[in-house]
Amino acid sequence: PADVSAVTEGNMLLRGCQLRNTEQIFGLVVSTGVDTKAMSAGGARGGGSALSSSAEKVGAMTGRMNRDILGICAMLAALSVLGAVLHALWCGRQARRDGEAIDGGFWYLGAADLCENPAELMGSYFLLSYTFIPVSLYVSINLVYTATAFFMAQDLAMYDPTLDQPAEVRTMSLCDELGRISHVLSDKTGTLTSNHMRLRRLTVGEVLFGEPVERLDPLGASGGSSAHSLPSAGDGEGGYASESDVAPPRALRMASASHGAHYSPLVGAEGGAHVAPHADRQERQPHPKKNEKMNEKSLPGTQLQPLQGTSLSHLGGGDGRFPPLPAHFGCRPQTAEHVCYEEAEGVRGVSSLYASLDDLREANAAWRNELVLLLLHLAVNHSVLYEALGGAEELSASSPDELALVSAAEHFGFDFTQRDLSEGVLLVREKRLGLASPPQRVQVLAVFPYTSNGKRMTTLVRLPHTLCPSRSNGKGCVFAFTKGADSVLLERLARPSLSAAAAAANSPKRVATLKCTLGAWADAALRTLVFGCRQVSDSEYEAWQVRYAAAISDPRERASQKAGRENAIDMLQGEIEKDLLLQGGSAVEDELQVGVPETLRDLSRAGIKVWMLTGDKVGTAKNIAAACSLLPAITARNFSNSLSSPHPPHNAQLLRQPSFANKGRVIEWTTETIGGLDDVPANEIASAVSARESMVVEVKARARWPMLGRCTSYLTVRFSRKRDDKERERERERVAPAASAAGRLIGALEQKFPALASLSEQCLAAADELDVLLKRPPSNVTGAVAASSAAVGKAAAKRVDTRRARPSLRIPGAEASAEATARALDFALVVDEKTIDWLTAACPAQFAALTLRARAVIACRCRQEQKAQMVRLVREHSANARVLAIGDGANDVAMIRAAHVGVGIAGKEGMQAVQNADFAIGQFRFLRRLLFVHGRHNYRRLSILVCYMFYKNVLDRMTQFQFTTGAFYSGQKFWSEVVTTIFNVVFTSLPIIAIACADADLPARVAERAPELYRACAKQLLYTHSLFWSWVLEACCVSIAYFLAIKALYRTADRWSGSTLGVWEMGIVSQVTITTMVNFRLMLDVTHWTAPIVFIFAATLVVWVGSIALFSGTFFFFWAEWWGVPRRVLLTGPFCLFFIWAMVIGLLPKLIRETVGGFFPSEDRLALQAVRAQRPPGPPRQMPALLRRMLGNQKEPQGGAQRS
């Protein structure tokens, strides 16, 4: 029926969304089963809180601790069995020795019953020793997690006042995981950059509009022509010239942004220079007031004054001043900040966008119509809304790119004024007709939204006849406007032979010029988009609309589209997005966030490998990476993308900035360096990826019963009657059909596309060279899936070797010396979308080995699932790696959820990343403090907590077990029950919790500036199995010494009472000694004494002494064994001497450990010593003011630097 429509995601308000400009709604709560976030993070899929987006994540320390607990459980079981066995042996020996019933001499032990019930005796031992595993461990850990999460959220150093965004902890159980990060995988746009987009340039046909942009060159290299030969505005239409005359270097602009300064096109390289947009670059005059706000009238993007008595020929005059623009050009103050378009001095005629739009002559009609159609594209193909905020209307966009493009359309005369969602209408005002003229209605017929896989957006509209470029009927004309990445949109252009319009718009020269232009813009770190359109006839649209409405109303088609399967919706959208006419391209500028280069450099110094995953072009990604110090400087000598050399030599190298310490290189495997890779259809590579995924599923299924599968495969092949090799190969294919099919498909694709074979060749050769340098067997990876990956990789290598000998792709500097080897292993890797797909399918083991060894990885053109795929690549092929993924948008959610730790940045692209992350911050630079301060401190403190909790309990229970050995292994206890009950809760819990929450070996400001301290954390050296069991061994040794000393000291009768100590007196002596000593032992692990820690230790000891006084001075049946003990035992000379000796013996292992560590320091200790040695001495401590006044010293101390 006509009144039936499908409920899609466009009708859904997800959690965290804000509904604006609406007084009231009628809503319906919809539950969608196990696919909801609450179910996927809750009990339906593994348990956990429904409010946590990452409840299924478990830290590495939890896994190690669980394995150590299994060892403690085995130790507990062994002691229980050992005690029962030894008791049985003792009973047998006594029976043979006495020749009579054993209960005749030891009737008070009930030995006969115990000997006849060994299971009961084992149960007694278990009940005596079960506190080996402290029940309070998990309670203490959760309390520490809660406290550390609170402190992290209250850290003002991670508060972003611009967004009012503090640090947010959404998964408390991963607070210590921040201290073990080895890889950081980061998005670029909005994560490393500020996501504040400004349109810089446009291109239509073979003409470039706007000031030339510069190539990023951190080396400051000058001279020489650019590798990109571009049409120059000064040469007129179709002219070509070098872009050597450039604006102030972008590297300086990024540097100023990183220090918090806002770059303006009016400010040159020197902060105090003030230059008009069209003035000569050499005539720079100092600004009268450096911090004074610049006059907005000098910006062409903010001028709304009418041009009075001035013709267009005066634009860009030689007087060095930019005249006012006509009223139909320019933006309002709200949108002016998103346009930074300038035209060079002397630009006239066709090369001036302003002049071309104002030229109403008939001879210029075709050119002007082409420009107007592009501007209409900018004005209608978007999802921008107007919303009322604070009494004013502002543009609200899901993407800053769209906001910049809509602002550019307004700047050039086509003002988007409103969107009527109820009628599906856009209102666009052509400002040339007057600022008060009524807007024209553009009917929106269909919208194909942007997706990470599609990389494009299409809007099907009906333009009114007044806006149609050609004459039309009163209904107007239907246009399909498509914008997107050049990699997907250029494939959808109409063939030039299709029509005369296609021959003019899509000519090879025009497409080649556009590619060259986009490459130059990408090298200048600008974000590029390509625009295309086609006119759809009314009959074609009406027939298509009937089929499309039926498809989107079909739930099965919607489900297939969501799952990525073939569906009618995508097919029908593809019918509209084909045979496009090329309109042009745009260049949008984005700047780095404050502190990003410094943060990335510190992460590298800390031993953390940083990968940048972005959907931008290769040139843009490399430029941003160079500005962030992830790659060395990019110069024209290193890369060539000109038309005369469309495929530069393989592995074009990047020159290193001279100030860099490591002299490495960059290996680039992209469509720009692998000849013919760009011509390989994406669906061909996708088929190899699907075959690879099927093989992984098969391997995982066989891994459930690995021995059975191996035996079946061996027996099937070995004892088959078909003995020839071909038949055996068929048997292998029958056993593992998916792996065989994947191998055949990859081999066929390599033969069909030499570029894929070349890419596999280079990857395999580089991996072989890496294995030689590391002196390890090839493809040294772990896991069942990794093993299958290695098998496919070797098969690929075999196929390549049979076809041709692989050239040696040696990493430069692979000499015999250790220094040369280390220099050769210091390399970065640049890959793109097709490279990732192909190498993960053809030779995944070798590709993983290279990426894991690379100092940095730059992945360009990444789709959403590819980002998650790169995270899984690290996790599957490196068992010890801990991955942190950080992003700000919805396309980063998969990556964030796939990583060990996900960090979301609250930016301009919604809150999806924050809601799915484990931690949320406001700026990328806060990541440094999050890892180096909070992560390191939490990791170190929690390792002490776990080790200490087991140390004190093992010491306690091992002493009890040794007493049973002297009591004929009978399982007799000798500790007071009341102290045993509250030992973990009252007497030893608060000090360790206080240390785990607040202790810090260095102040936060020092730890943040010393990334070298994090190297041991990245290697996970602060909590190891050897460290844990060294604490357990120390507890066992101390317990043996204590029990033997107590037994020897009180073996003889007391001379006053004439009797030896009883069972309970010996137990009380042991309890008093151990409880006091474990608190003193913990004091040695405090690195920074603060008032709260001192108070908690003092309060614990006071409570302990008070409890002794209470138990011994007040008779109560629950602690009757304590009555009078202090007077008889604890206040005697032998006990005092023993107590002092016991404290020394208990603390001696720690002192020995510290002494040996001083002679053989660990990596963490060396780094800590180096940092402390570099700290400047602080001022001498001053007496408190009150004490100075009491002593008559009224002189105030001189100001000085605070102590570090």
Side-chain angles (χ1 to χ4, degrees), residues 134 158 161 212 226 365 402 500 649 677 730 772 794 847 852 872 911 954 1000 1052 1058 1129 1182 1189:
M158 294 194 298
S226 170
E402 288 194 333
L677 183 59
R730 292 175 184 173
V772 171
K794 292 177 181 178
F847 181 56
L852 292 175
R872 290 191 293 269
M911 300 295 289
V954 169
T1052 59
V1129 179
Q1182 301 291 338
R1189 286 194 294 270

Side-chain angles (χ1 to χ4, degrees), residues 1146-1163:
L1147 302 180
L1148 185 61
K1150 172 65 175 178
L1151 301 177
I1152 295 175
R1153 191 196 301 263
E1154 292 297 323
T1155 302
V1156 173
F1159 288 102
F1160 305 98
S1162 62
E1163 182 177 351

Side-chain angles (χ1 to χ4, degrees), residues 39 67 85 108 129 232 277 292 431 447 499 587 634 672 746 763 781 820 946 1039 1090 1129 1156 1179:
M39 291 295 291
R67 289 191 290 272
V85 171
Y108 58 90
S129 306
S232 173
E292 182 180 359
K431 295 195 294 183
V447 176
S499 63
I634 301 174
E672 297 182 1
I746 291 173
C763 180
V781 293
V946 173
S1039 68
T1090 59
V1129 179
V1156 173

Side-chain angles (χ1 to χ4, degrees), residues 30 63 77 100 315 360 374 426 503 538 679 830 878 982 1099:
V30 180
E100 57 184 11
L315 284 174
L360 304 179
L374 175 62
L426 291 175
D538 291 343
D679 300 328
V830 180
S878 179
I982 60 177

Side-chain angles (χ1 to χ4, degrees), residues 178 231 251 257 264 359 394 396 412 421 427 451 456 481 547 643 804 850 918 1008 1092 1157 1189:
L178 293 171
S264 172
D359 189 355
E394 295 185 3
S396 176
F412 293 113
L421 296 176
L427 302 182
T451 61
R456 62 189 183 275
F481 292 114
R547 293 183 294 148
L643 294 176
R804 66 176 72 87
L850 287 170
D918 307 300
E1008 186 177 2
R1189 286 194 294 270

Side-chain angles (χ1 to χ4, degrees), residues 679-690 745 749 752-753 756 838:
D679 300 328
V680 179
N683 59 343
E684 296 282 5
I685 301 180
S687 62
V689 174
S690 299
L745 178 60
L749 289 177
K752 182 178 180 181
F753 301 104
L756 298 180
W838 176 252

Side-chain angles (χ1 to χ4, degrees), residues 974 976 1064-1073 1121-1122 1125 1130:
F974 82 129
S976 172
W1064 304 117
E1065 285 83 355
M1066 289 187 65
I1068 290 173
V1069 169
S1070 177
Q1071 282 181 316
V1072 170
T1073 303
E1121 63 271 12
W1122 281 82
V1125 170
L1130 302 184

Side-chain angles (χ1 to χ4, degrees), residues 984-996 1082 1096-1097 1099-1100:
N984 285 320
V985 178
V986 177
F987 301 141
T988 59
S989 61
L990 289 181
I992 184 59
I993 292 176
I995 290 177
L1082 184 60
I1096 289 176
F1097 268 104
T1100 300

